[in-house]
Amino acid sequence: MIYVNGNQMSNVDNLSLSDYLVREGYTISFVAVECNGSIVPKTQYEEKILTDGDVIEVVSFIGGG
């Protein structure tokens, strides 16, 4: 189990961060992700495999004016 934005999530172990974000409907170009207190560069989203105990924060960017 991992935590995403403070919520427990199951069935995500061994998914890449990129696969998780797409599965949950995020547009990768419009988010920033922190994992266990460190910012994950977009170039590493495919390489970062989610594991039990990870704490993820996903921030979406919204345009306005």
Side-chain angles (χ1 to χ4, degrees), residues 1 4 8 18-20 23 25-26 29 38-39 51 55 59 65:
M1 185 169 332
V4 179
Q8 291 182 349
S18 178
D19 289 341
Y20 170 78
R23 185 181 88 174
Y26 290 102
S29 59
S38 297
I39 299 294
T51 57
V55 177
V59 178

Side-chain angles (χ1 to χ4, degrees), residues 26 42 47 51 57:
Y26 290 102
K42 287 188 188 330
E47 299 167 13
T51 57
E57 292 292 328

Side-chain angles (χ1 to χ4, degrees), residues 18-41:
S18 178
D19 289 341
Y20 170 78
L21 292 170
V22 169
R23 185 181 88 174
E24 295 299 314
Y26 290 102
T27 303
I28 291 177
S29 59
F30 295 126
V31 298
V33 179
E34 179 185 278
C35 180
N36 302 324
S38 297
I39 299 294
V40 180

Side-chain angles (χ1 to χ4, degrees), residues 2 7 9 15 23 27-28 31-32 48 52-53 56-57 61 64:
I2 69 167
N7 300 309
M9 303 294 288
L15 274 180
R23 185 181 88 174
T27 303
I28 291 177
V31 298
K48 170 58 183 152
D52 189 41
I56 307 291
E57 292 292 328
F61 299 105

